[in-house]
Amino acid sequence: MSSFIFLKKIENYSPEKAIEDFKKAAQKANMFCILIKDKYRDDLFISAEGTLSEVDEFTFKNMDNKDNLKYFTFNVNQVEEDSIDSFTWLTQDENYFWALDIENINHEYKFIFRFLVEYFKDNGEDYLWFDDAEWYYTADDILKLSQMPYDPKWCSEKVI
């Protein structure tokens, strides 16, 4: 699995708000949202990337060996002209698009799940799709999974 994709409604989408939602969920999950780099062209948002980590930015930057550190990176995208109807095949709704994704997963599925639970508490209209899967989770699905014992198969097959 190469990435976890957050599908968001195009209508009223703001990449800046998406970044704030990530920061808020990270804080609730006791993670640090660090190394955020925004790209703008003529005051128009292009993209952003950042890292969610179990340690603060100073510690993260000064660690020589990050092999045992839990962290993942994320990207935030803008709405493109071809975004409309881009996920109808999956969601049956033409107003969802690939707004954010999580990459550099490093098999930290339980760590990521902790973040997802907090994220979907406040973002109930979003979907979570796994690159190349033919299924997705709704916010309600993730919250139901959080009430059950942790199932490591949650990211390789739809378990709810």
Side-chain angles (χ1 to χ4, degrees):
M1 175 178 326
S2 58
S3 59
F4 296 10
I5 292 99
F6 294 77
L7 304 178
K8 294 183 81 57
K9 279 192 172 185
I10 294 170
E11 185 179 81
N12 300 321
Y13 172 73
S14 160
E16 292 85 0
K17 181 176 180 328
I19 293 169
E20 289 306 312
D21 290 344
F22 254 58
K23 288 179 180 179
K24 183 178 176 183
Q27 183 177 26
K28 287 180 175 182
N30 295 316
M31 297 177 186
F32 295 90
C33 190
I34 59 175
L35 307 174
I36 296 177
K37 298 175 188 149
D38 299 330
K39 295 178 188 170
Y40 285 87
R41 183 182 314 128
D42 300 326
D43 293 331
L44 179 65
F45 179 90
I46 303 299
S47 66
E49 56 188 38
T51 302
L52 268 70
S53 171
E54 66 181 336
V55 297
D56 63 41
E57 187 167 4
F58 178 81
T59 305
F60 188 88
K61 284 182 174 179
N62 291 295
M63 289 185 80
D64 292 331
N65 183 357
K66 293 180 177 60
D67 290 343
N68 295 319
L69 182 65
K70 293 178 184 167
Y71 72 95
F72 56 88
T73 61
F74 66 93
N75 299 297
V76 181
N77 303 308
Q78 68 174 338
V79 177
E80 301 284 343
E81 286 182 33
D82 60 352
S83 294
I84 295 175
D85 200 33
S86 59
F87 279 91
T88 306
W89 63 272
L90 183 68
T91 65
Q92 316 310 305
D93 187 326
E94 68 179 21
N95 294 317
Y96 279 87
F97 81 109
W98 182 322
L100 306 120
D101 59 52
I102 291 176
E103 296 180 331
N104 299 314
I105 297 164
N106 300 325
H107 303 288
E108 295 296 344
Y109 303 116
K110 193 170 188 178
F111 184 68
I112 293 170
F113 186 74
R114 191 173 90 205
F115 167 78
L116 293 174
V117 169
E118 296 304 331
Y119 176 86
F120 281 107
K121 284 180 182 177
D122 293 329
N123 295 279
E125 291 188 336
D126 295 1
Y127 293 106
L128 181 69
W129 175 59
F130 300 90
D131 196 8
D132 296 329
E134 294 186 17
W135 49 272
Y136 59 84
Y137 286 115
T138 64
D140 285 342
D141 292 339
I142 295 293
L143 297 177
K144 284 178 192 172
L145 277 174
S146 74
Q147 300 302 310
M148 300 162 53
Y150 179 76
D151 185 343
K153 293 187 261 177
W154 73 272
C155 54
S156 59
E157 62 186 69
K158 186 141 184 187
V159 296
I160 193 164

